Structures are given as structure tokens and as C-alpha cells.
Amino acid sequence: MPLTPLRKTLVSGAAIVTTALGCTLLAAPSASAVGSSACTKNVRDETWNVTNTFKSRSVIQDGPGYKYKNKEELFGGAPFRVYCKTKKSGITWYYGKHLNGGIKGWLDYRAFEDIGT
């Protein structure tokens, strides 16, 4: 069956859209956020208050490490619901949720008083 001009246009257009979409997907940056999948040990769900005894503020990270994107700054007294933890490069990281802001992410052990590593 010969292609009519309209059919040729539709086929060409579909090929262009498919190619453009494929290139866009290949060029898109991968997600860098790491959720609870990085946890190595569950923690009984508890709400801990940020104490910042080591430093003046703590920052919720996108993943368990300082190389991840900063999500939210927390000051002393902020309630943080802890779900689990992991250890990366000798530092213990806790995954949870800031109860006042609803932001989920990772805080290092120094955000909490007397928790240890």
C-alpha cells in the first residue's frame, strides 16, 4: 500500500518525536536522592529532638553523606522522626522526617545528643 502525503507526514512526525524523546531521556540527569533504601538497620520509630551539641545547625541531606543535596536546615529542638540508619565513611546517618516541615531525608549522628555512632 503506497504512502499518501498525509501518511508520510504522520510517519515522519512520529519518528521525530520518538527520536527526540529518546534523546531527552538519555540526557536527563539521574535522580540523586537516596531514601530509606540505603538503610542498613531499622530503628524503632522514635521522635528525637535535634540538639546540635556539635555544631550550631544540622542539615537534612538527600542521602547519607555530605555530597548529597541539602534539603532543609534544622535548629535545636526540631522534632525528627527516625526510621532507620546506616554508616558511611565512619559516620552514622539517620533517615527520617522533620515533623514540623514534613521533609524526609538524612541527618548525621551529631544532630542528636548522646546517640553515638
Side-chain angles (χ1 to χ4, degrees):
M1 181 164 101
L3 290 177
T4 64
L6 176 60
R7 212 176 257 164
K8 283 182 184 178
T9 302
L10 290 175
V11 169
S12 296
I16 291 170
V17 169
T18 302
T19 303
L21 180 60
C23 289
T24 301
L25 292 175
L26 288 175
S30 61
S32 60
V34 178
S36 62
S37 63
C39 289
T40 56
K41 184 175 182 182
N42 284 332
V43 174
R44 180 178 49 170
D45 290 356
E46 293 181 339
T47 299
W48 296 343
N49 288 322
V50 173
T51 59
N52 297 317
T53 56
F54 178 74
K55 50 190 177 179
S56 62
R57 65 182 177 88
S58 293
V59 178
I60 295 177
Q61 308 287 129
D62 255 351
Y66 301 115
K67 68 180 181 175
Y68 291 95
K69 179 182 169 195
N70 293 345
K71 294 179 80 173
E72 183 177 20
E73 184 176 330
L74 299 181
F75 292 92
F80 191 77
R81 184 74 171 179
V82 177
Y83 302 124
C84 58
K85 68 181 183 176
T86 193
K87 200 166 198 169
K88 298 283 183 184
S89 301
I91 298 172
T92 300
W93 290 87
Y94 293 94
Y95 178 77
K97 178 170 80 170
H98 177 212
L99 295 181
N100 289 344
I103 303 292
K104 288 185 178 179
W106 293 87
L107 283 175
D108 73 33
Y109 73 96
R110 295 176 292 189
F112 309 105
E113 185 176 40
D114 298 328
I115 300 300
T117 58

